[in-house]
Amino acid sequence: AQSVTQLDSQVPVFEEAPVELRCNYSSSVSVYLFWYVQYPNQGLQLLLKYLSGSTLVESINGFEAEFNKSQTSFHLRKPSVHISDTAEYFCAVRNYGGATNKLIFGTGTLLAVQP
Amino acid sequence: GAGVSQTPSNKVTEKGKYVELRCDPISGHTALYWYRQSLGQGPEFLIYFQGTGAADDSGLPNDRFFAVRPEGSVSTLKIQRTERGDSAVYLCASSAGGWDTQYFGPGTRLTVL
């Protein structure tokens, strides 16, 4: 069965500092990988995704994530965070092909950016 | 354009009651999903519709939960004989096709007293 592990439930960081949110997955088949963000009092929004091709994917607001197949990881990074990045971040996987396209989510990481 | 909408935004009910939660997907999206997010957890898959039919209902926890999508657009999640453990945020998502990006609604917060 597939699973997603986000070991850090909370990551406090000062504004303009770099940050890495860790995501590891377990799957016996090829997967697609996603990061979703949930800002306070808002719904889940897609931040970035890896489907195929380059293992490094970027979002429009400066986040990037790298798919590492050997380490089964898809860590999210940003070189310099802003107060407005404060949110809950969820990593998710989905089977490549197969009968279902449901997303399997991790438990989330709260990124708390402090001034 | 309009995103996924869900009504009501909040629902408080008593143990044993019946509730219906509604989801309006993005216009033209053929795929619709329901997830449940308990406090401190990530969303957990419940059911997936492709058109009017449930293509995967493996996430429904028991037979008290049922969902329909009779015309291939709006969907209703129905919970019978609610229990306190059903308290959670129920999320709906839609996608243009079965394998396209899923866009989420704001959720319905269900509280069972």
Side-chain angles (χ1 to χ4, degrees), chain A residues 10-66:
Chain A
Q10 289 191 53
V11 173
V13 63
F14 288 107
E15 195 173 19
E16 297 184 6
V19 70
E20 177 180 83
L21 306 184
R22 295 180 292 169
C23 172
N24 288 87
Y25 69 92
S26 169
S27 177
S28 59
V29 299
S30 296
V31 297
Y32 295 138
L33 294 153
F34 306 81
W35 276 99
Y36 279 83
V37 58
Q38 190 170 32
Y39 296 103
N41 300 314
Q42 294 187 31
L44 281 166
Q45 302 174 31
L46 180 67
L47 184 62
L48 48 75
K49 60 185 177 183
Y50 170 77
L51 303 181
S52 64
S54 172
T55 57
L56 183 66
V57 291
E58 300 177 350
S59 72
I60 60 173
N61 58 351
F63 283 92
E64 65 179 29
E66 186 160 20

Side-chain angles (χ1 to χ4, degrees), chain B residues 50-61:
Chain B
Q50 182 59 50
T52 59
D56 181 359
D57 64 358
S58 62
L60 295 178

